[in-house]
Amino acid sequence: NAGVMQNPRHLVRRRGQEARLRCSPMKGHSHVYWYRQLPEEGLKFMVYLQKENIIDESGMPKERFSAEFPKEGPSILRIQQVVRGDSAAYFCASSPNSVPTGTPFFGPGTRLTVT
Amino acid sequence: AQRVTQPEKLLSVFKGAPVELKCNYSYSGSPELFWYVQYSRQRLQLLLRHISRESIKGFTADLNKGETSFHLKKPFAQEEDSAMYYCALSGRSGGSNYKLTFGKGTLLTVNP
Protein backbone atom coordinates (compact mmCIF):
# COMPACT_ATOMS: atom_id res chain seq x y z
CA ASN A 1 0.00 0.00 0.00
CA ALA A 2 1.66 3.15 -1.26
CA GLY A 3 0.08 5.46 1.27
CA VAL A 4 -1.82 8.64 0.57
CA MET A 5 -0.56 10.20 -2.64
CA GLN A 6 -0.76 13.87 -3.48
CA ASN A 7 0.22 15.62 -6.66
CA PRO A 8 1.72 17.81 -7.59
CA ARG A 9 4.09 18.22 -4.66
CA HIS A 10 4.83 21.78 -5.62
CA LEU A 11 2.60 24.08 -7.63
CA VAL A 12 3.28 27.63 -8.70
CA ARG A 13 0.43 29.77 -9.97
CA ARG A 14 0.11 33.42 -10.90
CA ARG A 15 -2.63 35.48 -9.29
CA GLY A 16 -5.94 34.85 -11.00
CA GLN A 17 -5.10 31.36 -12.25
CA GLU A 18 -6.70 28.13 -11.08
CA ALA A 19 -5.02 25.55 -8.88
CA ARG A 20 -6.01 21.89 -8.86
CA LEU A 21 -4.65 19.67 -6.14
CA ARG A 22 -5.11 15.92 -6.30
CA CYS A 23 -5.26 13.35 -3.56
CA SER A 24 -5.39 9.58 -3.96
CA PRO A 25 -6.35 7.96 -0.65
CA MET A 26 -4.91 4.73 0.60
CA LYS A 27 -6.42 1.61 -0.89
CA GLY A 28 -9.61 0.71 0.89
CA HIS A 29 -10.06 4.17 2.40
CA SER A 30 -13.29 5.92 1.59
CA HIS A 31 -12.92 9.00 3.80
CA VAL A 32 -10.82 11.97 2.67
CA TYR A 33 -9.95 15.11 4.59
CA TRP A 34 -8.21 18.26 3.37
CA TYR A 35 -6.18 20.51 5.67
CA ARG A 36 -4.39 23.77 4.96
CA GLN A 37 -1.26 24.98 6.68
CA LEU A 38 -0.47 28.64 6.30
CA PRO A 39 3.10 29.78 7.07
CA GLU A 40 3.89 29.64 10.79
CA GLU A 41 0.50 28.07 11.54
CA GLY A 42 -0.85 24.64 12.43
CA LEU A 43 -2.91 22.55 10.05
CA LYS A 44 -6.49 23.75 9.75
CA PHE A 45 -9.38 21.51 8.73
CA MET A 46 -11.01 22.44 5.45
CA VAL A 47 -13.33 19.68 4.26
CA TYR A 48 -14.33 16.07 4.80
CA LEU A 49 -15.55 13.97 1.90
CA GLN A 50 -16.73 10.48 1.28
CA LYS A 51 -17.17 9.04 -2.18
CA GLU A 52 -19.43 11.44 -4.11
CA ASN A 53 -20.45 13.27 -0.94
CA ILE A 54 -19.27 16.33 0.91
CA ILE A 55 -19.83 15.59 4.58
CA ASP A 56 -18.44 18.73 6.20
CA GLU A 57 -17.06 21.78 4.41
CA SER A 58 -17.17 24.10 7.39
CA GLY A 59 -13.47 24.94 7.07
CA MET A 60 -13.60 25.88 3.39
CA PRO A 61 -13.49 29.55 2.43
CA LYS A 62 -16.90 30.53 1.09
CA GLU A 63 -15.65 31.61 -2.32
CA ARG A 64 -13.23 30.24 -4.90
CA PHE A 65 -12.62 26.93 -3.10
CA SER A 66 -14.33 23.65 -3.94
CA ALA A 67 -13.65 19.97 -3.35
CA GLU A 68 -14.88 16.73 -4.79
CA PHE A 69 -14.28 13.03 -4.37
CA PRO A 70 -15.81 11.28 -7.37
CA LYS A 71 -16.80 7.65 -7.57
CA GLU A 72 -13.70 6.97 -9.66
CA GLY A 73 -10.43 8.81 -9.40
CA PRO A 74 -8.73 11.04 -6.87
CA SER A 75 -10.17 13.71 -4.67
CA ILE A 76 -9.64 17.19 -6.11
CA LEU A 77 -9.28 20.47 -4.23
CA ARG A 78 -9.85 23.32 -6.64
CA ILE A 79 -8.96 26.93 -6.01
CA GLN A 80 -10.17 29.43 -8.58
CA GLN A 81 -8.63 32.84 -9.17
CA VAL A 82 -5.84 32.28 -6.69
CA VAL A 83 -4.51 35.13 -4.57
CA ARG A 84 -1.24 35.47 -2.67
CA GLY A 85 -2.98 34.55 0.58
CA ASP A 86 -3.71 31.08 -0.83
CA SER A 87 0.01 30.26 -0.68
CA ALA A 88 0.20 27.39 1.79
CA ALA A 89 0.78 23.69 2.19
CA TYR A 90 -2.34 21.64 1.52
CA PHE A 91 -2.50 18.23 3.13
CA CYS A 92 -4.83 15.41 2.35
CA ALA A 93 -5.56 12.58 4.75
CA SER A 94 -7.62 9.43 4.43
CA SER A 95 -9.10 6.85 6.75
CA PRO A 96 -11.12 3.65 6.36
CA ASN A 97 -13.65 5.01 8.81
CA SER A 98 -14.05 8.21 10.76
CA VAL A 99 -11.48 9.51 13.20
CA PRO A 100 -10.77 8.57 15.92
CA THR A 101 -11.62 4.95 15.37
CA GLY A 102 -9.77 5.14 12.08
CA THR A 103 -6.97 7.57 12.63
CA PRO A 104 -6.23 9.35 9.34
CA PHE A 105 -3.07 8.82 7.35
CA PHE A 106 -1.60 11.96 5.85
CA GLY A 107 -0.18 12.56 2.43
CA PRO A 108 3.07 14.47 1.82
CA GLY A 109 1.26 17.67 1.00
CA THR A 110 1.15 20.06 -1.95
CA ARG A 111 2.98 23.33 -1.50
CA LEU A 112 1.15 26.03 -3.44
CA THR A 113 2.96 29.26 -4.21
CA VAL A 114 1.06 32.15 -5.74
CA THR A 115 3.20 34.76 -7.44
CA ALA B 1 -14.35 26.53 20.43
CA GLN B 2 -11.54 24.02 20.50
CA ARG B 3 -7.97 25.20 20.60
CA VAL B 4 -4.52 23.66 20.94
CA THR B 5 -1.57 25.69 22.17
CA GLN B 6 2.05 24.70 21.83
CA PRO B 7 3.90 27.52 23.56
CA GLU B 8 7.36 26.64 22.26
CA LYS B 9 8.06 27.18 18.59
CA LEU B 10 11.61 25.86 18.95
CA LEU B 11 13.18 23.52 21.48
CA SER B 12 16.82 22.52 21.52
CA VAL B 13 18.32 19.87 23.80
CA PHE B 14 21.47 17.79 23.91
CA LYS B 15 21.51 14.07 23.19
CA GLY B 16 20.71 12.09 26.31
CA ALA B 17 18.90 14.95 28.01
CA PRO B 18 15.22 14.73 28.96
CA VAL B 19 12.79 16.48 26.69
CA GLU B 20 9.28 17.77 27.25
CA LEU B 21 7.16 19.34 24.53
CA LYS B 22 4.26 21.25 25.97
CA CYS B 23 0.69 21.13 24.77
CA ASN B 24 -2.35 22.78 26.32
CA TYR B 25 -5.85 22.52 24.99
CA SER B 26 -9.24 24.08 25.30
CA TYR B 27 -12.32 21.95 24.64
CA SER B 28 -15.76 21.95 26.19
CA GLY B 29 -16.43 18.23 25.93
CA SER B 30 -14.35 15.09 26.25
CA PRO B 31 -11.41 15.33 23.84
CA GLU B 32 -9.11 12.82 22.31
CA LEU B 33 -5.52 14.01 22.14
CA PHE B 34 -2.80 13.07 19.68
CA TRP B 35 0.82 13.79 18.97
CA TYR B 36 1.94 13.82 15.35
CA VAL B 37 5.54 13.98 14.16
CA GLN B 38 7.00 15.16 10.88
CA TYR B 39 10.60 14.21 10.20
CA SER B 40 12.55 16.19 7.64
CA ARG B 41 11.09 15.71 4.13
CA GLN B 42 8.62 13.11 5.36
CA ARG B 43 4.90 13.14 5.81
CA LEU B 44 3.03 13.78 9.01
CA GLN B 45 2.60 10.58 10.99
CA LEU B 46 0.83 9.67 14.18
CA LEU B 47 3.22 9.27 17.11
CA LEU B 48 0.76 8.43 19.84
CA ARG B 49 -2.76 9.02 21.09
CA HIS B 50 -3.82 9.32 24.69
CA ILE B 51 -6.55 6.73 24.45
CA SER B 52 -4.11 3.93 23.70
CA ARG B 53 -1.71 4.88 26.53
CA GLU B 54 1.25 3.54 24.58
CA SER B 55 4.91 4.46 24.62
CA ILE B 56 6.24 4.94 21.11
CA LYS B 57 9.97 5.43 20.43
CA GLY B 58 10.37 6.12 24.13
CA PHE B 59 7.85 8.97 24.10
CA THR B 60 4.92 9.13 26.49
CA ALA B 61 2.18 11.65 27.04
CA ASP B 62 -0.36 11.83 29.83
CA LEU B 63 -3.64 13.64 29.59
CA ASN B 64 -4.07 15.99 32.56
CA LYS B 65 -7.67 17.12 32.53
CA GLY B 66 -7.19 19.44 35.51
CA GLU B 67 -4.45 21.38 33.75
CA THR B 68 -5.88 20.70 30.27
CA SER B 69 -2.46 19.55 29.14
CA PHE B 70 -1.02 16.71 27.10
CA HIS B 71 2.73 17.20 27.29
CA LEU B 72 5.03 14.87 25.37
CA LYS B 73 8.01 13.51 27.26
CA LYS B 74 11.07 11.42 26.65
CA PRO B 75 13.69 10.75 29.34
CA PHE B 76 16.70 10.54 27.01
CA ALA B 77 16.54 12.38 23.70
CA GLN B 78 18.22 10.94 20.61
CA GLU B 79 19.47 12.81 17.54
CA GLU B 80 16.92 10.98 15.39
CA ASP B 81 14.15 12.56 17.46
CA SER B 82 14.86 15.89 15.75
CA ALA B 83 11.62 16.75 13.96
CA MET B 84 8.52 18.94 14.03
CA TYR B 85 5.97 17.81 16.59
CA TYR B 86 2.28 18.71 16.46
CA CYS B 87 -0.26 18.25 19.20
CA ALA B 88 -3.84 17.75 18.00
CA LEU B 89 -7.27 17.06 19.41
CA SER B 90 -10.62 15.84 18.25
CA GLY B 91 -13.93 15.34 19.98
CA ARG B 92 -14.66 11.80 21.16
CA SER B 93 -18.29 11.83 20.24
CA GLY B 94 -20.77 13.89 18.40
CA GLY B 95 -20.98 14.86 14.82
CA SER B 96 -17.47 16.22 14.32
CA ASN B 97 -15.14 13.74 16.00
CA TYR B 98 -13.29 13.35 12.71
CA LYS B 99 -12.11 16.98 12.77
CA LEU B 100 -8.58 17.42 14.10
CA THR B 101 -7.49 20.73 15.58
CA PHE B 102 -3.72 21.18 15.48
CA GLY B 103 -1.29 23.33 17.41
CA LYS B 104 1.30 25.35 15.55
CA GLY B 105 4.00 22.81 16.21
CA THR B 106 7.32 22.67 18.04
CA LEU B 107 10.56 22.11 16.17
CA LEU B 108 12.74 19.87 18.30
CA THR B 109 16.47 19.81 17.66
CA VAL B 110 18.60 17.27 19.47
CA ASN B 111 22.25 18.25 19.39
CA PRO B 112 25.08 15.70 19.56
Side-chain angles (χ1 to χ4, degrees):
Chain A
N1 202 331
V4 179
M5 308 291 285
Q6 288 188 250
N7 68 79
R9 294 291 308 277
H10 300 274
L11 182 62
V12 179
R13 284 286 177 266
R14 289 204 180 95
R15 278 181 295 170
Q17 290 185 318
E18 179 179 285
R20 279 184 178 239
L21 287 65
R22 292 175 186 76
C23 168
S24 296
M26 288 179 71
K27 191 176 179 181
H29 287 195
S30 57
H31 300 249
V32 165
Y33 315 85
W34 284 94
Y35 286 79
R36 177 167 68 172
Q37 184 178 30
L38 295 168
E40 308 290 311
E41 295 288 322
L43 283 74
K44 297 255 188 326
F45 170 83
M46 297 182 77
V47 63
Y48 163 34
L49 309 108
Q50 294 179 17
K51 285 282 187 183
E52 299 185 280
N53 283 309
I54 296 174
I55 307 302
D56 180 354
E57 56 181 349
S58 59
M60 290 273 273
K62 294 283 184 281
E63 296 175 349
R64 302 186 297 107
F65 283 72
S66 62
E68 62 176 11
F69 187 17
K71 189 176 178 183
E72 302 290 337
S75 175
I76 307 281
L77 180 68
R78 183 178 173 214
I79 312 171
Q80 295 178 290
Q81 299 175 314
V82 296
V83 300
R84 287 232 171 95
D86 297 332
S87 295
Y90 292 83
F91 291 93
C92 171
S94 72
S95 67
N97 40 46
S98 291
V99 173
T101 53
T103 308
F105 291 83
F106 281 83
T110 293
R111 196 159 297 276
L112 172 65
T113 302
V114 180
T115 61
Chain B
Q2 53 198 61
R3 186 165 54 240
V4 175
T5 303
Q6 292 180 252
E8 300 139 330
K9 194 173 173 180
L10 301 168
L11 183 62
S12 183
V13 301
F14 285 103
K15 178 182 170 182
V19 63
E20 180 179 68
L21 291 90
K22 291 186 168 51
C23 172
N24 289 91
Y25 67 90
S26 171
Y27 188 71
S28 56
S30 183
E32 177 155 9
L33 276 297
F34 307 82
W35 276 100
Y36 281 84
V37 61
Q38 187 173 29
Y39 300 103
S40 179
R41 298 192 190 87
Q42 294 187 28
R43 61 189 67 196
L44 203 63
Q45 53 188 287
L46 180 67
L47 181 62
L48 52 81
R49 55 199 292 186
H50 92 269
I51 203 166
S52 56
R53 303 183 71 83
E54 293 173 297
S55 171
I56 305 292
K57 299 186 180 183
F59 284 97
T60 59
D62 290 315
L63 180 60
N64 186 323
K65 290 185 180 179
E67 295 182 0
T68 59
S69 68
F70 188 56
H71 302 328
L72 184 68
K73 299 177 186 178
K74 185 168 182 177
F76 307 104
Q78 303 298 316
E79 288 179 68
E80 56 265 30
D81 296 329
S82 296
M84 181 69 93
Y85 290 81
Y86 294 96
C87 183
L89 76 77
S90 72
R92 278 218 222 165
S93 60
S96 61
N97 58 347
Y98 49 81
K99 196 182 295 186
L100 289 167
T101 298
F102 285 85
K104 292 187 179 183
T106 297
L107 180 62
L108 173 66
T109 303
V110 181
N111 299 298

